[in-house]
Amino acid sequence: MRLLTSLAASTAFTLAAQAGETVDYTVDGATYEGYLAEATRDSKGLVVIIHDWGGLDEYEMTRAEMIADEGYDAFAIDVYGKGNRPATTDARKEQVGMLYNDREMMRARILGGIEQAREASGETNVILMGYCFGGGATLELARSDEGENIAGYATFHGSLDAPEGANYAATSAPILVMHGGADSGIPNSLAADLADQLETDGVTYEVQIYSGAPHAWTVFGSDRYQELADKKSWDAFMDFTERYLEGDDD
């Protein structure tokens, strides 16, 4: 079992900004700032993280370090742009709205980040995962199937709806959905609808719903943090990564 402990989480959060390194890169002429955490032993593959609506910050850096400690290279990409870390709700809504209104641009920024992650790590196959907005962005790329050598997609308390008429028929990699049963903004019915769509489209998937977990239940130190749901979802994610990135079907 790979169950996260509060002490480990606290330690990782403290060290996150120091252990890895920031990486500047460009997509379509604009500069972005990602974060690379190299595996603490021989790398077993690459995990790419898409940040939540606040932009890439210490939270994603912490998760990258935790992934690195599991033996994977981790790269947190930036889909807002270097120095663009909106601090207010209105500013965050504006950034998210801009990307949802131009999904082609969103996907281009994700793909550019993945390309940089591969260059920085030397790894090819990727598990793509995201938190909140980043989870929704992960599913956006999954629907398009524009990413090459994507071994799997995973979303933690991410948005689950999709544009009208969209489906996952083109999706070739498995999907792991981790959802909070007490998420007042993303009802369980959307998780069920997504499962129905994935089943219809013939996608390999798993949907996990954690009772009592509100939106953003994985955010350390917040009043929404749910330790049990965090432990279970992290364990599920690492099992998913091992199975599809390393090819372990046991």
Side-chain angles (χ1 to χ4, degrees):
M1 297 289 286
R2 304 183 182 84
L3 293 184
L4 172 68
T5 67
S6 295
L7 177 59
S10 175
T11 301
F13 193 81
T14 301
L15 297 177
Q18 300 175 357
E21 61 177 322
T22 58
V23 178
D24 285 358
Y25 62 98
T26 60
V27 178
D28 294 333
T31 302
Y32 297 82
E33 185 179 58
Y35 183 82
L36 172 67
E38 295 182 321
T40 56
R41 47 192 181 275
D42 288 344
S43 177
K44 298 183 288 186
L46 174 62
V47 175
V48 173
I49 304 166
I50 307 180
H51 57 74
D52 66 16
W53 74 338
L56 198 168
D57 60 18
E58 284 192 346
Y59 178 74
E60 287 80 22
M61 294 177 186
T62 297
R63 292 295 181 177
E65 294 297 339
M66 292 168 63
I67 290 167
D69 194 49
E70 295 281 358
Y72 303 92
D73 289 327
F75 192 93
I77 67 173
D78 172 16
V79 297
Y80 285 173
K82 184 174 182 178
N84 185 359
R85 304 294 184 262
T88 67
T89 297
D90 286 345
R92 291 171 177 179
K93 286 181 177 179
E94 180 180 359
Q95 289 299 315
V96 169
M98 178 186 69
L99 291 171
Y100 275 132
N101 287 329
D102 190 342
R103 291 170 183 265
E104 183 177 355
M105 179 174 65
M106 181 199 297
R107 296 193 300 273
R109 293 184 182 186
I110 296 169
L111 291 170
I114 293 173
E115 181 180 355
Q116 179 58 47
R118 287 177 169 140
E119 181 179 331
S121 68
E123 299 287 345
T124 300
N125 290 333
V126 169
I127 291 285
L128 182 66
M129 58 93 91
Y131 294 91
C132 301
F133 158 73
T138 295
L139 294 179
E140 172 65 27
L141 192 69
R143 286 189 296 271
S144 75
D145 202 34
E146 292 177 2
E148 297 182 357
N149 297 313
I150 305 296
Y153 300 93
T155 168
F156 291 81
H157 43 79
S159 53
L160 302 179
D161 53 349
E164 186 176 355
N167 59 54
Y168 291 81
T171 306
S172 56
I175 295 176
L176 171 63
V177 176
M178 292 163 286
H179 175 67
D183 191 328
S184 59
I186 306 174
N188 293 332
S189 58
L190 279 180
D193 289 345
L194 175 56
D196 286 343
Q197 186 69 62
L198 293 171
E199 188 70 34
T200 297
D201 293 337
V203 178
T204 298
Y205 70 93
E206 183 175 351
V207 176
Q208 296 202 8
I209 300 178
Y210 303 104
S211 62
H215 188 66
W217 78 80
T218 68
V219 180
F220 308 124
S222 75
D223 58 2
R224 297 184 177 190
Y225 181 72
Q226 295 285 315
E227 185 176 17
L228 182 58
D230 187 26
K231 288 178 177 180
K232 287 183 174 181
S233 60
W234 185 256
D235 209 30
F237 172 66
M238 296 315 305
D239 285 344
F240 178 83
T241 300
E242 180 178 346
R243 177 177 295 273
Y244 293 109
L245 194 54
E246 299 181 59
D248 183 356
D249 294 327
D250 293 339

